[in-house]
């Protein structure tokens, strides 16, 4: 299989089954700078509380870079970060590994 798949926290289905108040968005972002060869699409589904904007869960799939990003979002859930706070994280940038605005930040911006 050529894809990396990751999940942390709860899914949209789990939020619904537990009668939690939530919103969910799906975002697409490149795995690294598009001008650097081999950039692949990452798809991120972000589940968050609509009022507090606290991250509840994330599902992600892509051909590269998913594990790095799932770790960031697992930490965000543990620390109870909001979508606003994730947008402001100072994440690493290097053309072969990430874009200036990382995929997790692009997803968080879409939630706003």
């Amino acid at each position: 299989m050529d894809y990396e798949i990751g999940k942390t926290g709860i899914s949209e289905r789990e939020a619904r089954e537990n009668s939690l108040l939530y919103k969910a968005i799906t975002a697409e972002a490149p795995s690294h700078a598009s001008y650097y060869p081999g950039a692949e699409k990452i798809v991120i589904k972000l589940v968050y509380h609509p009022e507090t904007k606290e991250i509840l869960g994330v599902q992600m799939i892509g051909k590269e870079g998913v594990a790095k990003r799932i770790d960031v979002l697992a930490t965000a859930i543990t620390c109870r970060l909001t979508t606003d706070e994730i947008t402001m994280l100072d994440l690493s940038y290097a053309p072969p590994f990430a874009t200036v605005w990382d995929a997790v930040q692009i997803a968080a911006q879409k939630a706003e």
Side-chain angles (χ1 to χ4, degrees):
M1 206 168 153
D2 293 340
Y3 287 90
E4 297 176 10
I5 300 168
K7 176 186 181 283
T8 187
I10 62 171
S11 67
E12 182 176 9
R13 186 187 83 227
E14 292 166 326
R16 186 174 46 253
E17 288 173 351
N18 288 285
S19 302
L20 298 176
L21 190 58
Y22 75 92
K23 274 189 152 180
I25 59 94
T26 302
E28 294 182 5
S31 58
H32 61 261
S34 58
Y35 61 82
Y36 193 87
E40 297 284 349
K41 178 174 63 172
I42 295 175
V43 179
I44 301 171
K45 185 169 190 178
L46 192 66
V47 180
Y48 62 99
H49 191 282
E51 294 169 0
T52 65
K53 299 204 175 181
E54 185 177 322
I55 303 299
L56 303 173
V58 180
Q59 295 167 302
M60 193 178 309
I61 185 169
K63 288 195 172 185
E64 63 180 24
V66 169
K68 167 193 185 256
R69 291 168 174 96
I70 280 292
D71 284 346
V72 170
L73 291 166
T75 301
I77 290 169
T78 300
C79 295
R80 303 185 76 176
L81 297 182
T82 66
T83 56
D84 296 333
E85 291 167 325
I86 290 168
T87 299
M88 298 308 298
L89 290 175
D90 185 13
L91 299 176
S92 62
Y93 166 68
F97 307 111
T99 56
V100 173
W101 286 102
D102 192 76
V104 299
Q105 293 168 309
I106 292 168
Q109 289 169 353
K110 188 171 181 184
E112 296 174 8

